[in-house]
Amino acid sequence: MRGKTTARLSGEGRVAEWTGLWRDTLRLSGRADLRGRAEDLLTLIPSPWPLTGPVVASLSFRGTSQELSGGGQFEMPDLRKGSERWGSLKAALTFKGKNLTVPHLVLMAGDQRIEAQGEIDLSGRYRFSTSPATLNLAALPGIGERGARGTLVVKGSGAGQITAPRIEGEMNLAGGEWREVALGDGAGRFELDGNRWRWDMAFERGYRARGTLPVNLAGPFHAEVTAEQADLTGLLSPLRRPLRLPLAARGDGRLSISGTLPGFSGLTGQIELTSFSGTLGEIPWKGRGTTKIGVEQGTFTILALELAGPDLSVSV
């Protein structure tokens, strides 16, 4: 028993042919039932994620004290990270000797389903892989309300020591969009680097993005986006109101932005556009110099802008 977590054992033991060693001749069989809290268990098993919520597990076992084997179920019906609800988790378990295998694990987060499988031994060595998980960006808390759209398919794997985890994977995005910026389809990779995630992604419409995220998805993050002959119309959306005419643009640019998760609060950064051109209503134009747009607390402000074309001259 630890904190509010309790375990109940029941079963029997019998002595087979006596060899002089209890560990070789004592045969055990029984059942273990556990009910409690994830936070109690994580005082025994280090984790970078502050998981909380009720835990229910049941296992049956048999064998000698040196070579037990068996299996059962592990369930967290109300899985949380701190006070934030993630969903529910259910896993099938089998074990033999020092090795624990998870042949099937299902994490449900809203209508999102993630499946995985793996194994770990008493020394802390592990390996795992996930089946491809399909995520609707518009439905993800903190992301959808910020204007993210598209269908993201993520697959990951890892192997090593639990005290120094190694995790990597790949991701594919269909119909990507951020606010009014159409990204199109994209593909990329991610990996765990110490206490943060590193990721990068290339999109069919001329954009490439990379950045870092905190390992537990709570804290500062940073992202950089570059554009080569990309559709920049969405990035220039702050200009539409003052210019009062339809605006279209294509060219090169760079976005650097930082903020805090969860919720993407405190967004700050800068957009720099170079070598770009487009139309303002029916009038063709070209940019001169570098156009700069500041981002402060999620608000866009034009810092420097010069457009020129037939019967057109705009300068900020």
Side-chain angles (χ1 to χ4, degrees):
M1 178 174 178
R2 188 178 184 89
K4 294 184 179 180
T5 298
T6 61
R8 181 183 298 275
L9 295 173
S10 61
E12 63 179 13
R14 61 183 179 84
V15 177
E17 182 179 352
W18 177 250
T19 63
L21 294 175
W22 284 103
R23 65 184 184 182
D24 294 329
T25 57
L26 180 61
R27 304 290 177 176
L28 303 172
S29 64
R31 178 183 178 88
D33 293 289
L34 181 145
R35 292 181 178 273
R37 310 179 306 177
E39 50 266 48
D40 294 336
L41 298 180
L42 291 181
T43 62
L44 304 174
I45 306 172
S47 171
W49 295 282
L51 300 180
T52 63
V55 173
V56 180
S58 62
L59 298 171
S60 60
F61 58 88
R62 61 188 178 280
T64 68
S65 61
Q66 297 297 300
E67 190 70 19
L68 284 176
S69 62
Q73 298 283 336
F74 178 91
E75 187 173 359
M76 295 186 67
D78 185 21
L79 173 62
R80 295 176 178 269
K81 180 173 71 71
S83 60
E84 176 189 358
R85 189 176 193 278
W86 272 12
S88 63
L89 181 147
K90 190 171 184 178
L93 308 174
T94 63
F95 61 92
K96 184 175 183 179
K98 298 179 179 181
N99 297 311
L100 172 67
T101 300
V102 183
H104 191 215
L105 177 148
V106 177
L107 171 64
M108 294 296 301
D111 60 352
Q112 313 292 332
R113 180 184 179 94
I114 300 174
E115 299 186 40
Q117 48 280 320
E119 64 180 49
I120 188 171
D121 64 25
L122 290 180
S123 71
R125 293 192 61 82
Y126 75 95
R127 66 173 182 84
F128 82 94
S129 62
T130 68
S131 302
T134 301
L135 307 175
N136 177 8
L137 296 185
L140 295 180
I143 297 178
E145 54 261 38
R146 290 286 179 176
R149 299 291 183 269
T151 301
L152 184 67
V153 178
V154 181
K155 181 172 64 174
S157 63
Q161 283 289 141
I162 194 68
T163 54
R166 295 172 54 194
I167 304 173
E168 61 182 11
E170 58 187 45
M171 48 191 175
N172 292 276
L173 179 66
E177 181 179 327
W178 179 68
R179 293 192 172 181
E180 299 183 52
V181 181
L183 303 172
D185 296 346
R189 296 192 59 80
F190 63 90
E191 66 176 356
L192 183 62
D193 180 14
N195 63 352
R196 60 185 175 178
W197 297 100
R198 291 188 178 274
W199 61 273
D200 68 84
M201 203 163 194
F203 301 90
E204 64 176 352
R205 297 195 178 182
Y207 291 95
R208 186 173 189 92
R210 65 179 182 178
T212 59
L213 300 169
V215 65
N216 61 358
L217 303 182
F221 77 91
H222 179 74
E224 294 183 359
V225 181
T226 57
E228 294 184 4
Q229 288 304 301
D231 184 350
L232 302 177
T233 303
L235 290 178
L236 292 175
S237 58
L239 299 177
R240 293 181 183 175
R241 181 174 297 176
L243 294 177
R244 299 181 181 179
L245 287 172
L247 176 67
R250 180 172 291 276
D252 302 338
R254 176 179 178 271
L255 163 66
S256 177
I257 196 163
S258 300
T260 303
L261 295 174
F264 293 89
S265 60
L267 290 179
T268 59
Q270 184 166 287
I271 300 171
E272 296 183 354
L273 304 178
T274 60
S275 182
F276 65 106
S277 61
T279 58
L280 180 62
E282 300 295 327
I283 305 172
W285 57 265
K286 289 186 177 181
R288 289 181 177 176
T290 299
T291 293
K292 296 182 179 181
I293 301 174
V295 183
E296 188 70 31
Q297 300 299 320
T299 300
F300 291 78
T301 304
I302 301 170
L303 304 177
L305 168 70
E306 188 173 357
L307 307 180
D311 300 319
L312 173 67
S313 179
V314 176
S315 181
V316 175

